[in-house]
């Protein structure tokens, strides 16, 4: 969300080692239209494919990412699936802290159980690959 990017950039302006990027990560490049409480009306947001984007960021830095925060209201599963492919796992080896906010749909119990199983598989694979 553009307004959240502006707020985060302002809040971290005095932190020279923090970069707030004006896009989100997804499993593929897309422009998404969102509305709701977090959006001011309807907004378009840019989502970039996680693996090539993080590879590009790693090349621009010292080769280490201190912190990745994944909080994308349900699409964290597709982002993490992309990061669990060989190229993504190589990226994760260069991340000091990975924070994931998991989301599910409580009102859809079968869906929620599937998400719990998928979450467990993802967490195990991340743990197995250091």
């Amino acid at each position: 969300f553009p307004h959240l990017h502006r707020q985060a950039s302002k809040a971290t302006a005095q932190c020279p080692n923090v970069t707030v990027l004006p896009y989100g990560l997804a499993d593929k490049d897309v422009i998404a239209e969102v509305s709701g409480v977090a959006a001011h009306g309807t907004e378009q947001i840019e989502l970039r494919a996680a693996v090539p984007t993080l590879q590009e960021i790693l090349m621009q830095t010292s080769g280490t990412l201190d912190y990745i925060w994944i909080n994308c209201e349900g699409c964290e599963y597709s982002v993490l699936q992309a990061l669990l492919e060989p190229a993504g796992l190589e990226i994760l080896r260069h991340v000091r802290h990975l924070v994931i906010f998991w989301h599910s749909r409580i009102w859809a119990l079968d869906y929620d159980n599937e998400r719990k199983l998928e979450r467990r598989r993802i967490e195990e694979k991340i743990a197995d690959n250091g």
Side-chain angles (χ1 to χ4, degrees), residues 16-129:
N17 62 334
V18 174
T19 303
V20 180
L21 300 170
Y23 52 82
L25 297 179
D27 57 332
K28 61 185 176 217
D29 291 336
V30 66
I31 300 295
E33 191 167 286
V34 295
S35 61
V37 176
H40 291 163
T42 299
E43 295 182 274
Q44 287 191 336
I45 59 171
E46 178 184 8
L47 301 175
R48 294 187 183 178
V51 172
T53 300
L54 292 173
Q55 287 170 328
E56 180 182 320
I57 292 168
L58 276 172
M59 289 189 314
Q60 296 171 2
T61 66
S62 63
T64 300
L65 297 175
D66 290 322
Y67 196 83
I68 294 179
W69 172 313
I70 298 176
N71 182 9
C72 46
E73 306 308 319
C75 73
E76 63 272 12
Y77 295 90
S78 61
V79 170
L80 289 165
Q81 288 297 341
L83 288 172
L84 293 177
E85 297 299 322
L89 288 170
E90 183 57 34
I91 292 167
L92 292 179
R93 288 185 183 92
H94 298 277
V95 175
R96 289 188 179 144
H97 303 282
L98 177 64
V99 177
I100 305 165
F101 286 79
W102 297 100
H103 298 86
S104 61
R105 296 184 180 146
I106 296 171
W107 61 89
L109 293 178
D110 289 340
Y111 183 81
D112 190 45
N113 287 332
E114 289 175 26
R115 284 287 169 106
K116 286 178 184 175
L117 291 173
E118 187 175 356
R119 174 182 173 174
R120 186 173 302 128
R121 285 191 297 271
I122 290 169
E123 289 174 336
E124 288 171 356
K125 190 157 186 179
I126 290 170
D128 289 346
N129 287 279

